[in-house]
Amino acid sequence: MNPALLLARVLRAPSSIEGLTAPDWNALWAVARGEQLAGTLAHRIAGLPMPQAARRLVEDSIASAEQGRTAALWEAEMARRALAGIDAPVVLLKGTAYAAAGLSPLTGRVIGDLDILVPRDAIEDVEAALLAAGWEWVKPDPYDDAYYRRWMHELPPLIHRDRDKMVDVHHTILPLTARIRPDAAALLADSVALENGLRILSRQDMLCHAAAHLFADGDLAGGMRNLWDIHCLLGEFGFDGLAERAAHHGLGTAMRRAVRQAVRLYGTEAPPAWQGWDMLDPLFHRRLTARDVWGRSTRKAVQLGFYLRSHALRMPPAMLARHLWTKWRKGHRPA
Amino acid sequence: MFYRAADPATLRIVPLDALTLVYHRASGITHIVDAPVPEILDILGEGPRDVAGLLAVLSDRFDLADPDSAALAVRLDELVAAGLVERTCAI
Amino acid sequence: MLGAASAAAIVSIRPALAQTNASVMQCEIPVTDPGRAGSYIAPDGRVVPARTPGAFPAPGRNFKAQDVKRALGGGTLPGTDPQASRAYTNYIRRLQRGTSGFTCFASLQMPRG
Amino acid sequence: MRHLKLLRIGPLGFRIGSHWRGPIAALDDLYRDYPAPLDGIADFNVHLFAARPWRRVLRPSVHIAGDFVIPDAAPLPLAQGLLAAEMGMNLQVALGLRRYLLLHAAMVERGGRAVLMTGISGAGKSTLAALLMARGWRLMGDEFALIDCATGLAYAFPRLVSLKNEAIDVVAQALPQARFGPLLEGTPKGAIRHLVPDARAIAAMEQPAEPSLILFPRFGFEPAERPVLPSEAFVRLTQASTNYVTLAERGFEALTRLVQAVPSRAIDYPDAATALAMVEALA
């Protein structure tokens, strides 16, 4: 069995671990680690009967995810303190938002950098406040810097000098060069306040962002994790108003494809209108599940295609050519 | 400007020889601290204070050879940067 | 009791990137990042435009961890003169996470002995 | 990954895959007396692979990867494939271990009491551990000591002892009956030869011991000894641990207890004979 499909089967039906052989277990953990889903897997199967060696891995992964959650929430808290003097909403995105909102199906999820969304006209104040509170630029490269500021949907990444944690400050959820322009003002206006004053996106916007992140704005690397987020969010929030909201942001196609992929991979329950399978869906499905029993990416040709595709989506062709030329001259090659 | 300490329930404080270990559960960070940090955490744990108020309590409880509010402000800045103390506008 | 304004009273433990000896000595640090080939390195380690007066051309090569360690201890990087070597080691000191070689450099910082 | 090896060192199971037979054959030989992972399920995966298919045969260079990776690790020539496998395993433990507090230390045991020696680079730690084994101590490991956070007990990680340069002959003379791996010349650390821990170290590798002494040895100085305060030991051990921070409060408890319960000493020594005498006098 394709080990990525094995992982998907265990995530959707944890009791299917019964009868796994030792090689199955080894492939399962290797792929789960490769896809950053080890903590999620551990939470899904905890408490079920399994070999002792697997149980120990479950305990280790749960403890590891819990520490990651503490560190992520603390980073959000320190950002909140640093930005307390700025009169603008600060919206947590992605993993930190799921943890802060206590979305239980996403327990165990790996949380990467801190991502926050702020109004575009507040971004200079936010930048200054973060720099004053100990964050520093990660890369001082003038081309990258100008590129980020002009075209990307975020500031160049900042890292905290004592805690070694990165923060990405966004003013919308897709680059300004992309053909699709989500309504950033609506994302902010409909965001929901948490107890401590930080905010999270509305339910539908959280789903829209997850779909944008999965397809429109990515090369599908780590896609199984992102799709699991969508599966869980759909289970938690349902489909009410989702089609309209996604269409409003120009993300209708991405949202529908995300749902179809989630239904296929994780058995997400979806109304009939959301189901189906188009001509490109098999390609996406293959890319999402391209892992060998060591957890390594496979299907290199498919990957390169997706690398070019993700850039094409972000930029008009002439700009893409200029960007790739500058990058390649400086020695960058797609891995 | 007032200073509020982390909730004492979130701190594990272990005095060792000359230095003191502080494990902060909310951040997961371990701090190794020198005097007067444990004393400051202790006093601010009773409630927020400003620099003058804190200095008064410290002078009251300890035999301060150097009751210098500038030095105390530096200690508080360090505590703020470490996340063990938060600045607040009002009590 | 309050201490000198310049002294620190708090040291926070950071994750040690301590590796095993073998893997530490096995890693390499590029000077500069492949993305910035052709730049110069100022004596204080900043990356500056090509032909900046007083700066040194980036060697465009990788230095082995053991060579860097020796240079940080007062030696000279192989194939460089002392002034250039100092500029390059200053560049390495300023490496930040996300830059090529950071992990390698960080692992060299692990105190020993 | 055509070639595969499963093995257990102390409490940790490994699954190693390789594009080439050589590194796996070397592991099969040197680790022949080691058991398989518990339940056949590995804690860590290591893969040794060629970056491009033709590099399997043309100037083959071994890249090291696994569940946990660091950037910047340079590949090794195929002749050093055994070293690549060992480095891969070490790296997985250093980056991925969550079950124990990991201390970068050599460890030996006598009478149920473990002596930890941490912080030595190059000529010292592994040599000292091997020579103490030759003098009847149980070798618990030359690289990592594993501290159980709940009990404070030290668990062994008796991997192959990695001997470098002059130490190779010194140890071969002290242990004429021991089994050694091939001599690997021209590695990034000079010549390396692996020593197989003795039968007793392997047979007892699952038995923990009570830590009784922490040493911070320093090689190349006149003999000297001083006590190390718990606060200094604490800071130095956090820097000798790769997983202290990720273990969160469990790590804090384990390390606090260790430095409070176990005396620490710094020792300087000019040569191995002096070091052995100092360790045995203190332990």
Side-chain angles (χ1 to χ4, degrees):
Chain A
M1 185 176 200
N2 171 333
L5 294 177
L6 171 65
L7 173 61
R9 188 187 80 185
V10 171
L11 289 177
R12 65 196 274 189
S15 60
S16 65
I17 58 169
E18 196 184 332
L20 287 188
T21 63
D24 290 338
W25 277 109
N26 284 326
L28 183 65
W29 282 110
V31 173
R33 284 172 175 164
E35 289 285 346
Q36 307 263 61
L37 277 164
T40 305
L41 170 67
H43 274 278
R44 291 291 285 167
I45 64 176
L48 295 173
M50 70 183 86
Q52 192 196 338
R55 190 186 322 284
R56 294 195 315 202
L57 288 171
V58 164
E59 288 163 9
D60 295 347
S61 303
I62 287 177
S64 193
E66 180 55 28
Q67 190 266 338
R69 198 183 76 95
T70 302
L73 291 177
W74 180 248
E75 211 50 31
E77 167 64 15
M78 289 307 269
R80 182 193 69 77
R81 292 181 187 184
L83 301 176
I86 292 173
D87 184 25
V90 176
V91 181
L92 300 175
L93 299 174
K94 296 193 254 184
T96 313
Y98 306 150
L103 292 169
S104 55
L106 288 159
T107 313
R109 186 193 192 277
V110 171
I111 305 173
D113 304 333
L114 172 63
D115 290 278
I116 59 174
L117 175 73
V118 299
R120 198 170 186 192
D121 58 16
I123 209 146
E124 280 176 9
D125 291 342
V126 167
E127 181 180 352
L130 290 175
L131 289 172
W135 275 270
E136 298 173 342
W137 299 119
V138 173
K139 44 181 172 183
D141 182 300
Y143 173 77
D144 274 335
D145 198 38
Y147 169 76
Y148 263 101
R149 283 170 191 277
R150 187 148 170 223
W151 298 115
M152 291 301 283
H153 54 311
E154 60 197 38
L155 284 176
L158 292 154
I159 190 164
H160 195 274
R161 63 165 179 250
D162 297 325
R163 296 189 302 277
D164 292 330
K165 291 280 190 335
M166 301 245 271
V167 60
D168 285 324
V169 182
H170 305 249
H171 50 76
T172 180
I173 55 173
L174 284 176
L176 296 177
T177 53
R179 287 189 302 260
I180 297 166
R181 296 285 181 92
D183 182 349
L187 292 172
L188 287 162
D190 292 341
S191 63
V192 182
L194 297 167
E195 230 170 75
N196 63 3
L198 291 170
R199 307 179 75 84
I200 56 173
L201 293 175
S202 73
R203 297 170 158 212
Q204 290 91 354
D205 283 345
M206 220 185 262
L207 271 159
C208 289
H209 183 213
H213 187 54
L214 175 65
F215 292 124
D217 177 33
D219 58 5
L220 286 195
M224 278 188 81
R225 206 270 312 269
N226 294 330
L227 196 61
W228 179 255
D229 290 349
I230 290 168
H231 166 78
C232 293
L233 293 173
L234 287 169
E236 188 96 334
F237 300 150
F239 289 80
D240 280 356
L242 185 58
E244 296 74 19
R245 189 66 170 183
H248 175 76
H249 288 304
L251 291 165
T253 307
M255 196 72 241
R256 279 193 301 278
R257 191 182 302 287
V259 172
R260 290 197 301 273
Q261 293 291 331
V263 168
R264 169 60 64 99
L265 198 58
Y266 296 127
T268 312
E269 286 182 28
W274 288 87
Q275 307 212 10
W277 200 238
D278 78 10
M279 267 173 56
L280 285 174
D281 279 333
L283 187 66
F284 282 92
H285 180 74
R286 274 209 303 281
R287 176 62 193 87
L288 279 166
T289 56
R291 291 273 172 180
D292 70 8
V293 296
W294 296 89
R296 300 180 307 164
S297 294
T298 54
R299 299 177 186 140
K300 294 279 180 204
V302 182
Q303 277 172 39
L304 182 62
F306 272 89
Y307 175 85
L308 292 175
R309 179 180 170 279
S310 74
H311 270 73
L313 279 174
R314 287 187 203 178
M315 300 181 188
M319 196 175 14
L320 174 66
R322 197 162 67 236
H323 172 72
L324 290 178
W325 171 244
T326 316
K327 278 276 177 200
W328 282 351
R329 253 194 350 183
K330 300 198 313 177
H332 181 86
R333 301 279 183 278
Chain B
M1 178 71 70
F2 286 81
Y3 294 87
R4 178 187 7 227
D7 179 352
T10 66
L11 300 177
R12 286 196 52 180
I13 299 181
V14 179
L16 294 175
D17 46 81
L19 300 172
T20 300
L21 304 179
V22 178
Y23 180 80
H24 186 201
R25 287 197 183 100
S27 66
I29 301 173
T30 305
H31 308 277
I32 295 119
V33 305
D34 197 355
V37 170
E39 292 80 2
I40 293 175
L41 288 174
D42 201 31
I43 293 165
L44 292 182
E46 298 158 11
R49 293 185 188 275
D50 59 9
V51 175
L54 179 60
L55 192 60
V57 180
L58 276 169
S59 308
D60 196 35
R61 292 191 195 168
F62 303 94
D63 187 19
L64 280 193
D66 52 351
D68 172 8
S69 63
L72 180 57
V74 172
R75 297 287 85 86
L76 284 166
D77 285 347
E78 273 191 88
L79 278 158
V80 168
L84 290 168
V85 162
E86 186 182 359
R87 286 196 187 93
T88 157
C89 295
I91 298 186
Chain C
M1 180 182 185
L2 297 182
S6 56
I10 305 178
V11 174
S12 304
I13 299 296
R14 302 159 70 127
L17 281 157
Q19 307 301 349
T20 66
N21 284 334
S23 58
V24 167
M25 290 320 190
Q26 193 50 19
C27 65
E28 297 188 352
I29 302 174
V31 177
T32 60
D33 230 8
R36 287 191 262 160
S39 303
Y40 274 41
I41 312 282
D44 67 358
R46 274 176 309 115
V47 180
V48 293
R51 284 178 290 285
T52 300
F56 302 90
R61 56 168 282 199
N62 297 354
F63 292 106
K64 289 193 164 40
Q66 50 204 344
D67 295 332
V68 171
K69 190 171 185 168
R70 212 169 294 131
L72 291 170
T76 304
L77 287 166
T80 68
D81 66 59
Q83 282 81 23
S85 178
R86 207 166 309 133
Y88 301 154
T89 45
N90 282 337
Y91 167 83
I92 291 167
R93 281 199 185 92
R94 297 168 73 113
L95 284 175
Q96 298 193 23
R97 176 168 291 186
T99 317
S100 311
F102 171 79
T103 310
C104 183
F105 172 61
S107 57
L108 281 179
Q109 301 303 295
M110 177 188 166
R112 297 179 191 276
Chain D
M1 295 296 146
R2 276 193 295 161
H3 306 280
L4 180 71
K5 173 71 181 170
L6 286 154
L7 75 120
R8 174 150 44 109
I9 304 175
L12 305 178
F14 294 89
R15 170 173 168 254
I16 302 134
S18 170
H19 274 157
W20 305 272
R21 195 179 152 276
I24 299 299
L27 293 176
D28 274 335
D29 175 35
L30 295 170
Y31 281 108
R32 69 181 182 207
D33 298 323
Y34 285 66
L38 180 67
D39 301 322
I41 300 173
D43 294 295
F44 301 110
N45 296 291
V46 174
H47 8 120
L48 307 177
F49 64 97
R52 300 274 177 274
W54 61 87
R55 290 303 288 272
R56 290 187 202 190
V57 285
L58 185 70
R59 282 182 290 116
S61 81
V62 183
H63 286 258
I64 307 165
D67 301 325
F68 306 92
V69 290
I70 54 160
D72 315 326
L76 289 174
L78 182 54
Q80 296 169 13
L82 171 63
L83 182 60
E86 287 285 312
M87 282 171 46
M89 288 192 279
N90 284 350
L91 202 56
Q92 296 316 300
V93 177
L95 298 176
L97 186 72
R98 298 291 179 270
R99 202 172 306 146
Y100 303 92
L101 176 68
L102 179 147
L103 298 176
H104 190 203
M107 183 161 61
V108 292
E109 174 260 335
R110 200 150 73 177
R113 294 156 61 80
V115 177
L116 285 79
M117 298 172 283
T118 181
I120 335 161
S121 110
K125 198 169 45 165
S126 296
T127 317
L128 230 48
L131 293 176
L132 285 163
M133 180 177 85
R135 295 174 63 84
W137 291 73
R138 169 170 59 123
L139 174 81
M140 295 184 77
D142 75 320
E143 182 80 357
F144 296 141
L146 314 178
I147 307 296
D148 185 303
C149 295
T151 63
L153 291 176
Y155 281 78
F157 186 71
R159 58 161 207 170
L160 300 179
V161 179
S162 166
L163 300 169
K164 286 137 217 147
N165 303 317
E166 299 79 24
I168 297 173
D169 284 339
V170 173
V171 172
Q173 278 171 20
L175 288 160
Q177 308 296 322
R179 292 212 303 136
F180 290 89
L183 181 66
L184 306 172
E185 307 242 38
T187 78
K189 298 217 70 177
I192 287 186
R193 198 162 183 202
H194 292 97
L195 161 72
V196 181
D198 63 20
R200 178 172 160 225
I202 300 172
M205 74 183 190
E206 283 172 64
Q207 289 167 21
E210 191 85 49
S212 68
L213 178 64
I214 300 166
L215 293 178
F216 296 94
R218 212 160 56 133
F219 171 73
F221 294 86
E222 283 310 299
E225 186 208 320
R226 69 171 172 91
V228 174
L229 286 176
S231 57
E232 184 189 342
F234 184 92
V235 174
R236 290 172 75 156
L237 290 174
T238 62
Q239 298 310 296
S241 170
T242 54
N243 67 356
Y244 170 75
V245 171
T246 45
L247 290 184
E249 197 165 355
R250 285 189 297 151
F252 178 78
E253 276 167 13
L255 198 55
T256 308
R257 170 159 59 175
L258 187 69
V259 299
Q260 286 181 312
V262 179
S264 297
R265 295 197 164 273
I267 56 171
D268 290 355
Y269 64 94
D271 53 60
T274 311
L276 292 177
M278 292 174 91
V279 172
E280 294 200 317
L282 286 167

